[in-house]
C-alpha cells in the first residue's frame, strides 16, 4: 500500500511558515500521541532551528500511558519541553503557560536586560493535519477562535491569536511533506486520519492495522471481535460477522467492516493503543 498525499495549498503554507518563523520565539508542535514520530513534520526541525520547542503529546488519552511516558522522556532528550494533553477535555492545558515561561526564560531575561518589559512570547503552533491543533488552540484560548473539523486541511491560512499579556499564538495550516521516504510513516498517518480517506483503499488499510493489532494488542482483538488465528483477511471477515456487516444476499460486507474497524481504532473503542515506540526503546 503506497501512500502519498500533498495538496497544493501545503506548498504555499510551507513558504508562509518559513517567513513567519522569523517573527516568533517559540514553536509549539502538536503531535498525535499514538504516533509521535510519524506525526512530526521533519521540515519543522529544519525551519525551527535555534527556536525554543514545546511538544504537545495530544490525544494522550487514546495512547498507552507507558509509551506516553517513554515518548515524553525521548523528546526531552531531544531538547524539547513536553506536555501530555487531551485538547478535547482540556487535560494538561493548565501546564502550558508555565512551560512556555520556562522554555523562553532566556529570551525573557534577555528582553529584561534590554529594558523591554512585558513583551508577550510569540509562539507558532504547528502540526500535521488532523492531530488536533485547532482543537488545542480553541480549548487553550477558551473560545472558538479557529475552525475545527475531523477532516485534514481545515485551517488554510495563518492567523494570530492573542491569549493574554504574556502569550500570542500564530496558528498555521497543517502541512505534510512532499514524499514519505518510509511507507510505515504513511500508513500510520492514514490510520489516524491525517491523510484524506478518499484517496485510500480502506480495506488494505484495515488489513495493515489488523496485522499490527493482532501482533501487539491480541487480547483486545479476541475480546471485541472474537478473532482467532493469524490471517488478517480472515480477521476482517470475522469483524464483518461480529458487527453484522452484510451485503445483498447475506454475503459479508468486508468493505463496511473495514470502515467500522478503522473508526473503532480512531475513536478509542479498542482501548489505549500506541502504534510506534521511541527509537531507544523498541517494543
Amino acid at each position: 500500500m503506497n501512500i502519498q498525499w500533498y495538496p497544493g495549498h501545503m506548498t504555499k503554507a510551507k513558504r508562509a511558515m518559513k517567513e513567519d518563523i522569523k517573527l516568533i520565539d517559540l514553536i509549539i508542535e502538536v503531535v498525535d500521541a499514538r504516533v509521535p514520530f510519524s506525526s512530526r513534520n521533519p521540515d519543522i526541525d529544519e525551519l525551527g532551528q535555534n527556536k525554543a520547542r514545546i511538544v504537545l503529546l495530544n490525544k494522550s488519552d487514546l495512547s498507552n500511558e507507558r509509551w506516553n511516558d517513554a515518548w515524553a522522556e525521548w523528546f526531552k532528550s531531544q531538547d524539547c519541553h513536553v506536555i501530555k494533553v487531551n485538547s478535547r477535555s482540556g487535560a494538561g492545558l493548565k501546564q502550558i503557560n508555565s512551560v512556555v515561561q520556562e522554555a523562553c526564560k532566556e529570551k525573557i531575561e534577555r528582553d529584561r536586560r534590554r529594558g523591554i518589559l512585558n513583551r508577550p512570547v510569540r509562539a507558532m503552533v504547528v502540526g500535521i493535519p488532523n492531530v488536533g491543533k485547532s482543537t488545542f488552540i480553541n480549548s487553550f484560548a477558551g473560545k472558538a477562535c479557529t475552525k475545527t473539523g475531523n477532516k485534514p486541511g481545515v485551517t488554510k491560512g495563518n492567523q494570530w491569536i492573542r491569549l493574554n499579556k504574556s502569550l500570542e499564538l500564530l496558528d498555521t495550516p497543517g502541512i505534510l511533506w512532499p514524499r514519505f521516504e518510509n511507507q510505515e510513516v504513511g500508513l500510520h498517518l492514514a490510520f489516524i486520519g491525517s491523510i484524506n480517506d478518499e484517496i485510500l483503499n480502506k480495506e488494505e488499510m484495515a488489513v495493515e492495522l489488523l496485522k499490527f493489532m493482532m501482533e501487539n494488542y491480541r487480547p483486545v482483538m479476541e475480546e471485541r471481535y472474537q478473532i482467532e488465528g493469524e490471517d488478517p483477511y480472515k480477521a476482517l471477515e470475522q469483524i464483518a460477522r461480529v458487527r453484522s456487516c452484510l451485503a445483498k444476499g447475506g454475503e459479508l460486507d468486508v468493505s463496511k467492516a473495514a470502515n467500522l474497524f478503522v473508526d473503532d481504532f480512531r475513536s478509542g473503542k479498542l482501548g489505549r493503543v500506541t502504534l510506534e515506540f521511541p527509537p531507544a526503546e523498541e517494543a
Side-chain angles (χ1 to χ4, degrees), residues 106-175:
E106 289 182 13
K107 173 261 173 196
I108 295 167
E109 184 56 39
R110 194 164 57 244
D111 281 354
R112 189 175 289 123
R113 287 197 300 269
R114 293 172 178 169
I116 304 170
L117 303 177
N118 302 321
R119 184 172 83 79
V121 169
R122 288 186 150 190
M124 177 185 283
V125 183
V126 300
I128 68 168
N130 222 38
V131 293
K133 182 169 57 65
S134 293
T135 302
F136 154 67
I137 291 175
N138 290 342
S139 297
F140 189 43
K143 57 184 183 295
C145 48
T146 70
K147 292 181 180 178
T148 60
N150 58 6
K151 287 187 176 182
V154 173
T155 304
K156 289 290 194 292
N158 294 1
Q159 53 184 320
W160 280 102
I161 301 151
R162 179 141 191 172
L163 295 184
N164 51 52
K165 290 180 180 179
S166 62
L167 182 60
E168 292 179 356
L169 298 183
L170 176 61
D171 186 23
T172 60
I175 57 171

Side-chain angles (χ1 to χ4, degrees), residues 20-81:
D20 290 333
I21 209 96
K22 303 167 188 173
L23 307 174
I24 57 105
D25 311 299
L26 169 72
I27 294 174
I28 298 176
E29 183 177 10
V30 184
V31 302
D32 188 308
R34 294 168 295 180
V35 287
F37 181 77
S38 292
S39 59
R40 299 188 81 202
N41 186 333
D43 290 341
I44 303 301
D45 283 336
E46 180 189 341
L47 293 172
Q49 287 179 12
N50 305 317
K51 298 291 181 181
R53 302 285 291 274
I54 294 176
V55 172
L56 301 183
L57 289 171
N58 195 29
K59 306 187 184 182
S60 58
D61 58 310
L62 299 178
S63 51
N64 184 287
E65 186 61 17
R66 171 199 167 194
W67 292 114
N68 287 346
D69 291 339
W71 273 110
E73 289 304 312
W74 185 82
F75 279 115
K76 287 174 186 174
S77 75
Q78 307 299 304
D79 296 323
C80 296
H81 293 75

Side-chain angles (χ1 to χ4, degrees), residues 34 61-64 213 217 220 224 264-274:
R34 294 168 295 180
D61 58 310
L62 299 178
S63 51
N64 184 287
M213 292 297 297
Y217 294 87
V220 174
R224 187 168 181 84
D264 279 354
F265 162 73
R266 289 177 178 172
S267 63
K269 290 177 182 172
L270 303 184
R272 299 181 66 170
V273 175
T274 297

Side-chain angles (χ1 to χ4, degrees), residues 215-235:
E215 184 177 336
N216 294 277
Y217 294 87
R218 184 83 194 193
V220 174
M221 305 303 291
E222 291 174 351
E223 181 180 349
R224 187 168 181 84
Y225 306 115
Q226 292 84 59
I227 283 174
E228 299 176 352
E230 305 299 329
D231 187 334
Y233 293 94
K234 289 184 178 178

